[in-house]
Amino acid sequence: MPGAYPQLIQLDQKKPLTAVIKEVCDKWNLPGPDNYALQYADGVQTYITESVGHSHHLKCITLSLGCIPNGSDSGVRCDSLKLLADVSTDITFAQEFISRDGHSLLVKIVEDAHEAPLIMTHTLTAFMELMDHGIVSWENLSSVFIKKIASFGNAKVLDTSIQQVSLAILESMVLSSSSLFNEVKHEITLERLVSHLQVTNQQLQTKAMALLMAMLLAGGEADRQVRNIIHSSSSVGDEMAHYLYVLQTVRLNHLEARMRTPLDSYNQEQRDMLHGLRQAAFETESESGLSNERRRSLCAKEFKKLGFSNNSNPGLDLSRCPPGLLALDTMAYFASRYPDAYSRFVLENSSREDKHECPFARSSIQLTLILCEILRIGEPPSETGSDYHPIFFAQDRLLEELFCICIQLLNKTWKEMRATQEDFDKVMQVVREQITRTLSSKPTSLELFKNKVNVLNYSEILKLRQTERLHQEETLAPPVLELKERLKPELLELIRQQRLNRLCHGTLFRKISSRRRQDKLWYCRLSPNHKVLHYGDVEEETEMPSIEALQEKIPVADIKSVVTGKDCPHMKENKGKQTKEVLDLAFSITYDVEEYSLNFIASSRTDFCLWTDGLNVLLGKEMSSESMRSELEILLSMEIKLRLLDLENVPIPDTAPPIPKPPSNFNFCYDFSQAEQ
């Protein structure tokens, strides 16, 4: 009770609620206990009824219809209606208020429309809250009331708060029954509804969008120009995003019927569309003079070139649902809308004989299915969904236009992958990824989508996959990269030892004479103490000669440098006569004694890398071969994975946690000597 001091009163819950209220009113000397009720003072301030226990902190409030006085004081009426709007959310109050015909009073205020904007806002809000409880049917409303609410929504100059509540009331009317939908449809103008979508007021824009969604769901019709209005909106809230998602889903689901309908071989219109694809691709002479057998043979040949699997009866290819007739629609749209691109695609692939041809029909059917899955055609709108594509609101025939871009992308990707018929599924997976990644960037126009998806070629997809795999394995996390750097010296030392051990084992080399006869063999190996290189001629069947059997030797201390390729002395002597293969395998050791050199030609690239790395290690230089880099990467990867085994599913932070400050003293060491005593 306003102005009264709160009192702690113990109420007997065994008594009827009316008796309890009477006791409270008597203690405060309040007349007419029938006009009062008990309400929770804390938390959700609901009213107390016989079915709800009246414990906890309670307060006594008035429940009379006198809260809407008819006097001339507009301030009092405004405060009373504001209070009414607040308490109308409670089902108990709403039932009592409506049982006393209070809602009729609100309807009368709206129909008269003589009140100030703020009072009208509170009136409409209270009415909306009362109707939301479902106690009174929406169909009981008069035509005068509906026209008045619609006039608020159509008004060009009006308080936005009134328009927001009016649009919300109209939305509830549309969703409640088909008769009210038809009445609202005649009263509310689409032009005015569209203008509400252009305002900067997000709440008004959202309410207008909600009404548009309700009308769309109820009647299945919406003006196309709404899409361009939405497309120009700078920022979209969560609720608006949901309505845009619903609009997109409902419109795209109009294609579901075609998607789930297989081609009917006895339907003349569908047969004409199918043969129209063939005639648009191939300039055929008049078929009227051909025999039936000759005509069937010609058609089968051309349908095969088009890429149909069942060339004698191509309708069987379109019997799978989805995509059903939708695949035929997209192919026909591409052929009529972009005839040059269509003819180029078909003729380019039908004339190839290297098994790298891309089948147009088969690819189109699968691509249409992929687009249906990405755009979720046939799925009902989710109550919480908000994932919409801005490109949808800038294009009337989104699926068909996306198909026209993506079928050309597919042909481009097919050539980049040098694919054959066996690679069909792999190509389609890449194309799906190209489309999905591009749409996830939310392009706002077809031109932007086309540019982005064409930049995302096959090599870029491979790079993205590799990067994502590394991120997934957390090998690019800063702490892991730091760990890699710490492990490198140890692993490089391991590779150095392996190279030196390989040199100690030795390798068999061939001598190439001036006559290009490879008939002499020689062997070279490093001494166990890594101080001398021993080499000498050997016989064909020699496996690993002993150091004593190798007559020649070079002290490692005398080695001056290691040179490779065309810088080798034996390559310079035969300049222009050596093949690139030989140049890639040639290396030489130069040493100080009279500028001599020991020349090698390795039998393989592996031996070349092992020896050049090993010789550089002997000289105290860095190893630089591609074999070393590959082996280092493998060892690092294995070592990192082993070290991270215990951290599976544990997120690794980018930065180390801060080191806590040292304690104020260290007098917490346990004295073990006392425990031993």
Side-chain angles (χ1 to χ4, degrees):
M1 179 179 175
Y5 289 103
Q7 298 181 23
L8 181 61
I9 304 173
Q10 187 172 1
L11 304 176
D12 188 356
Q13 298 190 25
K14 295 181 181 179
K15 293 182 179 181
L17 185 59
T18 53
V20 173
I21 294 174
K22 187 176 185 306
E23 286 182 9
V24 175
C25 290
D26 290 344
K27 290 197 177 188
W28 267 311
N29 297 320
L30 296 173
D34 292 342
N35 291 331
Y36 291 89
L38 292 177
Q39 183 187 32
Y40 283 107
D42 299 331
V44 181
Q45 298 180 353
T46 55
Y47 288 95
I48 305 300
T49 64
E50 291 287 358
S51 60
V52 180
H54 39 82
S55 58
H56 307 291
H57 297 90
L58 309 174
K59 65 179 180 180
C60 189
I61 66 107
T62 183
L63 191 63
S64 69
L65 291 180
C67 65
I68 313 177
N70 294 321
S72 60
D73 191 347
S74 61
V76 175
R77 290 201 306 280
C78 182
D79 293 340
S80 300
L81 286 164
K82 184 178 185 302
L83 175 62
L84 178 63
D86 293 336
V87 299
S88 293
T89 57
D90 187 274
I91 182 66
T92 305
F93 176 85
Q95 288 172 339
E96 186 67 25
F97 188 80
I98 292 173
S99 69
R100 301 188 184 193
D101 206 27
H103 66 290
S104 299
L105 182 57
L106 298 179
V107 171
K108 188 175 185 306
I109 293 174
V110 174
E111 290 177 349
D112 293 342
H114 297 317
E115 299 292 352
L118 187 57
I119 293 178
M120 185 60 69
T121 300
H122 293 322
T123 303
L124 293 172
T125 304
F127 176 80
M128 184 68 187
E129 295 292 350
L130 290 169
M131 296 299 290
D132 278 347
H133 294 296
I135 302 170
V136 181
S137 173
W138 286 94
E139 294 187 357
N140 294 335
L141 299 174
S142 65
S143 297
V144 177
F145 179 82
I146 296 172
K147 289 180 180 180
K148 183 59 68 175
I149 296 295
S151 68
F152 292 154
N154 287 329
K156 293 183 178 180
V157 181
L158 190 67
D159 186 270
T160 55
S161 299
I162 295 177
Q163 289 187 319
Q164 288 175 31
V165 186
S166 299
L167 293 173
I169 293 173
L170 290 170
E171 179 195 1
S172 297
M173 290 180 184
V174 169
L175 294 174
S176 63
S177 72
S178 57
S179 59
L180 282 176
F181 161 68
N182 291 324
E183 196 164 349
V184 171
K185 184 179 178 182
H186 287 99
E187 295 297 333
I188 192 78
T189 61
L190 182 61
E191 291 77 10
R192 193 69 203 128
L193 199 57
V194 170
S195 69
H196 288 321
L197 296 174
Q198 296 175 286
V199 300
T200 56
N201 188 318
Q202 277 274 332
Q203 292 180 331
L204 180 59
Q205 195 181 46
T206 301
K207 294 298 181 185
M209 190 67 190
L211 176 57
L212 182 63
M213 289 299 96
M215 296 178 71
L216 181 64
L217 291 170
E221 295 180 1
D223 198 284
R224 289 283 183 176
Q225 61 177 308
V226 176
R227 299 180 177 188
N228 294 327
I229 301 297
I230 298 167
H231 174 64
S232 63
S233 180
S234 56
S235 60
V236 176
D238 292 340
E239 191 174 357
M240 176 62 78
H242 171 69
Y243 290 133
L244 292 174
Y245 155 78
V246 173
L247 173 60
Q248 170 187 287
T249 304
V250 172
R251 293 301 302 174
L252 286 174
N253 280 351
H254 288 170
L255 301 170
E256 183 181 6
R258 298 285 287 181
M259 182 184 75
R260 302 199 183 281
T261 304
L263 184 137
D264 182 2
S265 300
Y266 298 100
N267 186 301
Q268 188 60 42
E269 182 183 357
Q270 295 172 18
R271 288 170 60 88
D272 290 344
M273 288 179 66
L274 194 57
H275 283 279
L277 292 174
R278 177 180 62 85
Q279 293 165 356
F282 307 105
E283 295 181 2
T284 56
E285 298 178 0
S286 177
E287 300 175 4
S288 57
L290 300 177
S291 63
N292 290 336
E293 185 177 349
R294 173 61 180 159
R295 187 184 300 111
R296 280 196 298 269
S297 174
L298 178 63
C299 290
K301 182 180 179 181
E302 291 179 346
F303 277 127
K304 183 178 181 180
K305 288 183 177 181
L306 269 176
F308 283 94
S309 301
N310 299 280
N311 53 303
S312 59
N313 186 8
L316 294 176
D317 288 28
L318 296 165
S319 61
R320 184 181 61 165
C321 295
L325 287 176
L326 205 53
L328 180 60
D329 293 340
T330 52
M331 287 189 284
Y333 183 87
F334 179 50
S336 60
R337 184 84 168 80
Y338 304 99
D340 293 340
Y342 170 70
S343 298
R344 185 166 56 251
F345 185 113
V346 175
L347 296 177
E348 175 185 319
N349 288 283
S350 62
S351 60
R352 300 184 68 167
E353 296 180 356
D354 55 359
K355 297 184 179 180
H356 288 284
E357 68 276 3
C358 177
F360 171 75
R362 184 185 176 192
S363 301
S364 298
I365 294 169
Q366 189 63 26
L367 177 61
T368 306
L369 177 61
I370 288 174
L371 289 173
C372 289
E373 291 173 351
I374 292 174
L375 298 176
R376 299 184 178 181
I377 296 174
E379 295 184 17
S382 166
E383 293 182 359
T384 58
S386 59
D387 184 19
Y388 71 96
H389 300 293
I391 191 175
F392 172 82
F393 303 102
Q395 181 61 45
D396 284 343
R397 304 188 67 172
L398 177 65
L399 179 73
E400 291 87 344
E401 289 293 343
L402 280 181
F403 174 85
C404 294
I405 294 172
C406 295
I407 192 64
Q408 296 176 75
L409 168 74
L410 190 151
N411 189 36
K412 173 173 167 283
T413 304
W414 185 282
K415 289 186 285 188
E416 290 171 352
M417 295 176 66
R418 293 193 56 79
T420 62
Q421 294 290 335
E422 289 76 17
D423 303 317
F424 182 82
D425 291 336
K426 293 179 182 178
V427 176
M428 299 313 297
Q429 288 175 3
V430 173
V431 171
R432 177 192 285 271
E433 191 170 342
Q434 289 171 315
I435 298 170
T436 306
R437 287 181 182 275
T438 305
L439 285 177
S440 66
S441 66
K442 303 292 183 184
T444 54
S445 67
L446 275 174
E447 190 63 29
L448 195 57
F449 172 84
K450 183 178 180 180
N451 293 337
K452 285 187 175 183
V453 81
N454 281 308
V455 168
L456 199 62
N457 53 33
Y458 178 56
S459 60
E460 286 297 317
I461 289 291
L462 292 179
K463 290 178 184 177
L464 288 170
R465 286 177 176 176
Q466 175 71 6
T467 304
E468 288 173 358
R469 184 182 64 81
L470 292 175
H471 276 292
Q472 189 174 3
E473 295 176 356
E474 294 184 320
T475 53
L476 294 182
V480 177
L481 294 176
E482 183 180 345
L483 178 60
K484 273 188 174 183
E485 291 301 319
R486 293 190 180 188
L487 292 173
K488 269 186 181 180
E490 179 184 345
L491 297 176
L492 281 171
E493 182 59 32
L494 184 65
I495 295 174
R496 289 190 194 98
Q497 290 301 321
Q498 187 269 340
R499 297 298 194 259
L500 292 175
N501 290 338
R502 188 69 178 80
L503 264 61
C504 289
H505 181 275
T507 304
L508 190 66
F509 296 96
R510 287 186 178 273
K511 288 184 178 180
I512 299 182
S513 64
S514 58
R515 295 182 181 180
R516 309 288 296 170
R517 293 173 59 197
Q518 299 183 3
D519 52 354
K520 292 185 178 181
L521 298 174
W522 65 287
Y523 202 90
C524 185
R525 60 181 294 186
L526 180 66
S527 63
N529 62 4
H530 301 170
K531 291 185 177 180
V532 181
L533 274 176
H534 297 269
Y535 65 96
D537 295 341
V538 294
E539 297 298 329
E540 181 75 34
E541 302 297 330
T542 305
E543 291 186 1
M544 190 180 85
S546 63
I547 289 178
E548 292 76 13
L550 302 174
Q551 303 83 6
E552 306 293 335
K553 63 181 180 179
I554 301 174
V556 172
D558 291 345
I559 297 177
K560 185 177 179 180
S561 64
V562 178
V563 293
T564 61
K566 61 183 179 180
D567 295 328
C568 298
H570 59 312
M571 294 295 108
K572 290 180 179 179
E573 293 173 2
N574 299 301
K575 189 175 182 181
K577 298 180 181 180
Q578 302 295 350
T579 63
K580 186 178 183 301
E581 182 182 357
V582 174
L583 284 172
D584 288 341
L585 299 175
F587 63 97
S588 299
I589 298 172
T590 61
Y591 47 99
D592 290 335
V593 182
E594 298 182 8
E595 292 296 327
Y596 283 160
S597 65
L598 183 62
N599 302 318
F600 300 78
I601 295 179
S603 59
S604 66
R605 189 67 185 173
T606 301
D607 283 345
F608 174 86
C609 293
L610 289 172
W611 272 86
T612 52
D613 283 343
L615 292 171
N616 280 324
V617 171
L618 288 175
L619 297 178
K621 297 180 180 180
E622 294 292 330
M623 297 179 291
S624 58
S625 71
E626 65 269 20
S627 178
M628 181 277 299
R629 289 191 291 271
S630 174
E631 291 170 15
L632 178 62
E633 191 60 38
I634 292 171
L635 291 171
L636 276 173
S637 177
M638 292 173 60
E639 188 68 25
I640 289 293
K641 288 178 179 178
L642 288 172
R643 301 229 179 175
L644 296 181
L645 277 177
D646 293 335
L647 294 178
E648 190 174 359
N649 298 324
V650 177
I652 301 175
D654 289 344
T655 56
I659 300 174
K661 294 180 180 179
S664 57
N665 63 72
F666 294 87
N667 300 329
F668 48 80
C669 180
Y670 184 76
D671 191 351
F672 290 97
S673 60
Q674 293 182 1
E676 292 174 358
Q677 294 176 1

Coordinates of all heavy atoms in Angstrom, one line a residue, residues 40 72 208 243 271 296 372-373 375 385 514 544 549 553 556 574 647 675-676:
Y40 N 3.2 -10.7 -4.6 CA 4.5 -10.9 -4.1 C 5.3 -9.5 -4.3 O 5.2 -8.8 -5.3 CB 5.3 -11.9 -5.0 CG 4.9 -13.3 -4.6 CD1 4.2 -14.1 -5.5 CD2 5.4 -13.9 -3.4 CE1 3.8 -15.4 -5.2 CE2 5.0 -15.2 -3.1 CZ 4.3 -16.0 -4.0 OH 4.0 -17.2 -3.6
S72 N -10.9 14.7 -16.0 CA -10.1 15.5 -17.0 C -8.6 15.5 -16.8 O -7.9 16.0 -17.6 CB -10.7 16.9 -17.0 OG -10.5 17.5 -15.7
A208 N 7.8 -4.1 -38.1 CA 7.2 -4.1 -39.4 C 7.6 -5.4 -40.1 O 6.8 -6.1 -40.9 CB 7.8 -2.9 -40.2
Y243 N 14.0 -12.8 -38.7 CA 12.9 -12.5 -39.7 C 13.4 -12.6 -41.1 O 12.7 -13.1 -42.0 CB 12.3 -11.2 -39.4 CG 11.5 -11.2 -38.1 CD1 11.6 -10.1 -37.2 CD2 10.6 -12.2 -37.8 CE1 10.9 -10.1 -36.0 CE2 9.9 -12.2 -36.6 CZ 10.0 -11.1 -35.8 OH 9.3 -11.1 -34.6
R271 N 9.4 -33.0 -71.7 CA 10.1 -33.6 -72.8 C 10.7 -32.5 -73.7 O 11.8 -32.6 -74.2 CB 9.3 -34.5 -73.6 CG 8.9 -35.8 -72.8 CD 7.9 -36.6 -73.6 NE 8.3 -37.0 -74.9 CZ 9.0 -38.1 -75.2 NH1 9.3 -38.9 -74.3 NH2 9.4 -38.3 -76.5
R296 N 16.4 -41.5 -83.2 CA 16.7 -42.0 -81.9 C 18.2 -42.1 -81.7 O 18.8 -41.8 -80.6 CB 16.0 -43.3 -81.6 CG 14.5 -43.2 -81.2 CD 14.0 -44.5 -80.6 NE 14.1 -45.6 -81.5 CZ 13.1 -46.0 -82.3 NH1 12.0 -45.3 -82.3 NH2 13.3 -47.0 -83.1
C372 N 20.8 -27.0 -53.3 CA 19.6 -27.2 -52.5 C 20.0 -27.5 -51.0 O 19.4 -27.0 -50.1 CB 18.8 -28.4 -53.0 SG 18.0 -28.0 -54.6
E373 N 21.1 -28.3 -50.8 CA 21.5 -28.6 -49.5 C 22.1 -27.4 -48.8 O 21.9 -27.2 -47.6 CB 22.5 -29.8 -49.5 CG 21.9 -31.1 -50.0 CD 23.0 -32.2 -50.2 OE1 24.2 -31.8 -50.2 OE2 22.6 -33.3 -50.3
L375 N 21.5 -24.2 -49.4 CA 20.4 -23.2 -49.1 C 19.3 -23.8 -48.3 O 18.4 -23.1 -48.0 CB 19.9 -22.7 -50.5 CG 20.9 -21.9 -51.4 CD1 20.2 -21.6 -52.7 CD2 21.4 -20.7 -50.7
G385 N 16.6 -19.8 -35.8 CA 17.5 -19.6 -36.9 C 17.7 -18.1 -37.3 O 16.8 -17.3 -37.2
S514 N 85.3 -39.7 -70.9 CA 85.0 -38.8 -71.9 C 84.1 -39.4 -73.0 O 83.5 -38.7 -73.8 CB 86.3 -38.3 -72.5 OG 87.1 -39.4 -73.0
M544 N 81.2 -53.5 -49.5 CA 81.7 -52.4 -48.7 C 83.2 -52.7 -48.4 O 83.5 -53.4 -47.4 CB 81.0 -52.2 -47.4 CG 81.3 -50.9 -46.7 SD 80.4 -50.7 -45.1 CE 81.4 -51.6 -44.0
A549 N 91.7 -51.3 -48.0 CA 91.6 -51.6 -49.4 C 91.5 -50.4 -50.3 O 91.7 -50.5 -51.5 CB 90.4 -52.5 -49.7
K553 N 93.6 -41.2 -50.1 CA 93.0 -40.6 -48.9 C 93.2 -39.1 -49.0 O 94.2 -38.6 -49.5 CB 93.5 -41.2 -47.6 CG 95.0 -40.9 -47.4 CD 95.4 -41.6 -46.1 CE 96.9 -41.4 -45.8 NZ 97.3 -42.0 -44.5
V556 N 90.6 -34.5 -43.8 CA 89.5 -33.6 -43.8 C 90.0 -32.2 -43.5 O 89.4 -31.2 -44.0 CB 88.5 -34.0 -42.6 CG1 87.4 -33.0 -42.4 CG2 87.9 -35.4 -43.0
N574 N 83.3 -30.2 -69.3 CA 82.4 -30.7 -70.3 C 81.1 -29.7 -70.4 O 80.0 -30.2 -70.5 CB 81.9 -32.1 -70.0 CG 83.1 -33.1 -70.0 OD1 83.8 -33.2 -71.0 ND2 83.3 -33.7 -68.9
L647 N 48.0 -33.6 -23.7 CA 47.2 -32.3 -23.8 C 46.1 -32.4 -24.8 O 45.5 -31.4 -25.2 CB 48.1 -31.1 -24.2 CG 49.2 -30.8 -23.2 CD1 50.0 -29.6 -23.7 CD2 48.6 -30.4 -21.8
A675 N 60.0 -34.7 12.4 CA 59.1 -35.9 12.1 C 59.9 -37.2 12.3 O 59.3 -38.2 12.8 CB 58.6 -35.8 10.7
E676 N 61.2 -37.2 12.0 CA 62.0 -38.4 12.2 C 62.2 -38.7 13.7 O 62.2 -39.9 14.1 CB 63.3 -38.2 11.5 CG 63.2 -38.2 10.0 CD 64.6 -37.9 9.3 OE1 65.5 -37.7 10.1 OE2 64.7 -37.8 8.1

